[in-house]
Amino acid sequence: MSELISVLDTVADRLVVPGYSKWGYRLRQRSWSGLEPGALRGAAAVVTGAGSGIGKATALGLARLGADVVLAVRDERKGEAARAEIVAAVPGATVLVRHCDVSSLESVRRFAAEIDRVDVLVHNAGVLPQERTVTAEGHELTFATHVLGPLLMTDLLRSRLAASSDPRVVLVSSGGMYTQRLRADDPEYQEGTYKGATAYARTKRMQVALVPLLTERYAAEGIAVHGMHPGWADTPGVAGSLPGFHRLTGAFLRTAEQGADTVVWLAAASPAPRAGRFWHDRRERPVHLLPATAEKPGDVAAFWRYCAAAAGLR
């Protein structure tokens, strides 16, 4: 039976619609073991973009496993509302709200300076602008939010992660990244006609490219870095940014909790999942499905140099 489910899992994944939908989740869920109750008791977790959707669902899942959770949010009112929901669902949970605009490197620096300890760091904050937008620091908005901000935050929290007995970092990507190659030649989308959905997918591809790079960078400290995509989930972000997609796929969409499941699993599973990999529904997935998206020689190195310089990494 497990072999059949594995085959169906792979077929569903490659066909996209069955694998990314709520039906793919339900199929795969049959073979999963539950996480240990209290698996994160005493652990400190940070979740960006935790005011709604997958971020809020992730924070709730981590709190249910005993973690103390910091909701890193741009809109503190949404953050406080999310906090109230989580505490109502998990009485006694320690949940804090902290302001952080992940697209702003200065905001990320201020936020990181407030964090005393962290065992789990989840990079979930996301944007999908319809027009090319530049931050106050001069960076294209999706690139700043999905790439530079998470990169800088992880590096600033490096010593605190290293102090943990089991530090884990999760980058929440998107299945849309499969349509794009790594644009090391134009990381901030300065060329061609700007399309928000393309910018989103490009930067989600960049997040996946960061996973092995950061795994190697932090290997000596034992910091495990994971990438994942949640499938198609019914969240306020999807409804607001992609209304046409939301209308067409509404019957297929997962709940935010289903989308967040693999994030929580990566944060809490024992034994720990293999670092430096890309996951969906608790299983390692290929990072390329189309030959045209494969990296060209030198792309990854050029991409890293640009990002490290832009984020001011040493």
Side-chain angles (χ1 to χ4, degrees), residues 1-159:
M1 184 64 175
S2 61
E3 291 182 2
L4 175 60
I5 291 177
S6 179
V7 171
L8 292 175
D9 176 5
T10 300
V11 171
D13 188 62
R14 301 306 184 270
L15 292 176
V16 178
V17 175
Y20 293 13
S21 70
K22 62 185 179 184
W23 299 312
Y25 179 87
R26 291 171 181 170
L27 167 71
R28 294 155 178 159
Q29 187 184 29
R30 298 177 185 179
S31 64
W32 297 345
S33 300
L35 293 169
E36 189 71 25
L40 293 174
R41 186 168 291 117
V46 171
V47 182
T48 69
S52 64
I54 289 172
K56 182 173 71 174
T58 294
L60 174 60
L62 298 177
R64 281 179 171 149
L65 293 174
D68 298 339
V69 186
V70 173
L71 312 182
V73 295
R74 184 175 55 184
D75 184 336
E76 292 179 80
R77 287 181 297 179
K78 287 178 62 176
E80 291 294 348
R83 178 190 178 280
E85 288 185 41
I86 295 168
V87 172
V90 188
T94 299
V95 183
L96 303 176
V97 176
R98 293 289 183 268
H99 177 267
C100 184
D101 179 350
V102 181
S103 72
S104 165
L105 300 182
E106 182 56 36
S107 181
V108 169
R109 292 187 189 98
R110 287 196 299 268
F111 171 79
E114 298 176 355
I115 302 300
D116 296 324
R117 64 187 186 94
V118 59
D119 302 277
V120 175
L121 175 58
V122 178
H123 294 297
N124 166 77
V127 293
L128 200 166
Q130 296 306 307
E131 298 180 354
R132 189 177 189 277
T133 305
V134 177
T135 69
E137 293 156 323
H139 297 292
E140 191 273 321
L141 184 60
T142 59
F143 179 70
T145 304
H146 302 154
V147 182
L148 292 186
L151 181 58
L152 178 61
M153 185 182 294
T154 306
D155 225 59
L156 291 172
L157 295 176
R158 181 176 186 170
S159 62

Side-chain angles (χ1 to χ4, degrees), residues 137-279:
E137 293 156 323
H139 297 292
E140 191 273 321
L141 184 60
T142 59
F143 179 70
T145 304
H146 302 154
V147 182
L148 292 186
L151 181 58
L152 178 61
M153 185 182 294
T154 306
D155 225 59
L156 291 172
L157 295 176
R158 181 176 186 170
S159 62
R160 276 147 283 182
L161 284 162
S164 170
S165 61
D166 188 11
R168 305 187 192 186
V169 178
V170 182
L171 287 105
V172 180
S173 183
S174 164
M177 70 94 191
Y178 281 120
T179 66
Q180 300 294 318
R181 66 178 178 88
L182 183 64
R183 289 301 304 268
D185 59 326
D186 185 24
E188 304 214 34
Y189 210 148
Q190 294 177 310
E191 301 174 4
T193 301
Y194 186 89
K195 296 179 181 178
T198 300
Y200 184 88
R202 284 185 181 183
T203 52
K204 290 299 179 177
R205 163 62 68 189
M206 293 174 191
Q207 287 183 326
V208 175
L210 281 178
V211 170
L213 295 173
L214 295 182
T215 298
E216 182 178 357
R217 181 175 177 84
Y218 304 134
E221 289 103 322
I223 301 170
V225 182
H226 307 282
M228 63 79 65
H229 84 81
W232 293 338
D234 192 355
T235 67
V238 170
S241 299
L242 298 169
F245 173 82
H246 187 264
R247 285 194 300 271
L248 287 173
T249 61
F252 311 151
L253 298 180
R254 303 170 174 216
T255 65
E257 289 73 21
Q258 290 170 339
D261 176 85
T262 296
V263 186
V264 176
W265 177 78
L266 287 167
S270 181
R274 296 175 66 191
R277 303 303 195 275
F278 185 62
W279 305 84

